[in-house]
Amino acid sequence: MSVTEMFADIQLFLSADQDIREDIRKVVQLLEQTAREILTLLQSVHQPTGFKEIPNNCAKAREMFCTVRTHMADLKTKFPAEQYYRFQEHWRFVLQRLAFLAAFVGYLESEALVTREEVVREEGFHLGVEDYLAGVLIMASELSRLAVNSVTAGDYSRPLRISTFINELDSGFRLLNLKNDPLRKRYDGLKYDVKKIEEVVYDLSIRGLSKEPETAAEK
């Protein structure tokens, strides 16, 4: 094979690779748009009357994840299955955002942490452990904001529950030996989230508002 033929083959490879990446980008743009729509829906929880809409908005969000799964199914057709890791940087960020959204919906519904397997079922796509953890850490930041806005809305018990949950998350992350630099930096942000929520709980405590509502048996 001559040098000219070799470079002609290389150009064919580069052109085919560029076509694959362009097809992937188009689907990722659709995923990013759906993720923004889900986030916009869930942001209502930060409004004074948002708590009343949690069940309804979570149900709507789960319906929107059907669209996510449709786009994910389309995405799978845009690249050879064995080359997942070659192209994953194209969709890694949106996968992390969707993992955050799935985790946030799960928390709003049950105040518990969803598993990676549950997120995978919601997204309909392979999700690496580090991307799942990144999504969980994004959720922690959202919950620290929710703790502050809960007080504004007059819900004084919610920050206490959020504090317990975030502290459990922090304890879990302390068990991990994180080698991924971006993930480790994001974990550093969790420390600030913990501190922010602790300040909210402390403020409620000194104002005498940190007690859980009494049950009928306690009265």
Side-chain angles (χ1 to χ4, degrees):
M1 180 182 291
S2 67
V3 171
T4 300
E5 291 172 331
M6 289 174 59
F7 275 85
D9 285 346
I10 290 173
Q11 181 57 47
L12 288 174
F13 171 82
L14 292 175
S15 296
D17 184 80
Q18 185 177 5
D19 289 342
I20 291 174
R21 294 181 186 278
E22 183 59 30
D23 287 342
I24 289 173
R25 276 193 287 268
K26 290 177 181 178
V27 180
V28 168
Q29 287 175 352
L30 295 174
L31 285 167
E32 289 172 342
Q33 177 61 34
T34 304
R36 285 193 293 269
E37 292 171 358
I38 296 174
L39 179 59
T40 299
L41 175 66
L42 296 178
Q43 287 292 295
S44 66
V45 73
H46 296 293
Q47 302 302 316
T49 60
F51 298 138
K52 298 177 182 178
E53 296 297 321
I54 285 178
N56 185 46
N57 286 341
C58 285
K60 289 181 180 178
R62 290 200 178 278
E63 290 177 4
M64 295 169 75
F65 265 100
C66 292
T67 303
V68 170
R69 290 191 291 274
T70 298
H71 292 325
M72 288 297 188
D74 187 29
L75 180 59
K76 291 177 183 178
T77 69
K78 303 304 182 184
F79 62 94
E82 68 277 7
Q83 296 184 25
Y84 174 93
Y85 291 102
R86 178 181 169 195
F87 298 107
Q88 71 169 339
E89 291 307 317
H90 287 288
W91 56 72
R92 167 164 267 170
F93 176 75
V94 73
L95 268 189
Q96 292 177 357
R97 297 294 294 179
L98 289 167
F100 145 59
L101 293 170
F104 193 36
V105 169
Y107 178 83
L108 291 175
E109 290 177 332
S110 64
E111 297 192 355
L113 179 63
V114 298
T115 65
R116 182 166 69 100
E117 291 72 23
E118 288 172 321
V119 176
V120 169
R121 284 197 296 271
E122 198 70 74
E123 293 183 349
F125 201 71
H126 173 75
L127 180 69
V129 172
E130 291 180 344
D131 292 332
Y132 163 72
L133 293 175
V136 170
L137 288 170
I138 298 172
M139 178 190 65
S141 295
E142 194 72 14
L143 290 179
S144 70
R145 180 187 172 200
L146 183 60
V148 174
N149 290 329
S150 296
V151 176
T152 303
D155 187 343
Y156 303 129
S157 64
R158 190 177 296 270
L160 306 182
R161 301 196 302 274
I162 291 176
S163 178
T164 299
F165 178 78
I166 292 297
N167 276 301
E168 289 176 354
L169 269 189
D170 184 47
S171 296
F173 271 95
R174 288 177 185 275
L175 298 175
L176 304 178
N177 182 18
L178 299 175
K179 300 292 186 180
N180 180 301
D181 284 342
L183 187 59
R184 190 167 61 245
K185 290 177 181 177
R186 195 179 289 276
Y187 167 62
D188 288 340
L190 179 60
K191 301 171 187 176
Y192 294 102
D193 294 328
V194 170
K195 182 178 179 182
K196 182 177 180 180
I197 297 170
E198 285 177 344
E199 289 174 351
V200 172
V201 172
Y202 175 73
D203 182 62
L204 289 174
S205 176
I206 61 176
R207 291 164 58 191
L209 300 172
S210 62
K211 294 182 180 180
E212 293 281 0
E214 292 182 352
T215 63
E218 293 171 331
K219 292 181 178 180

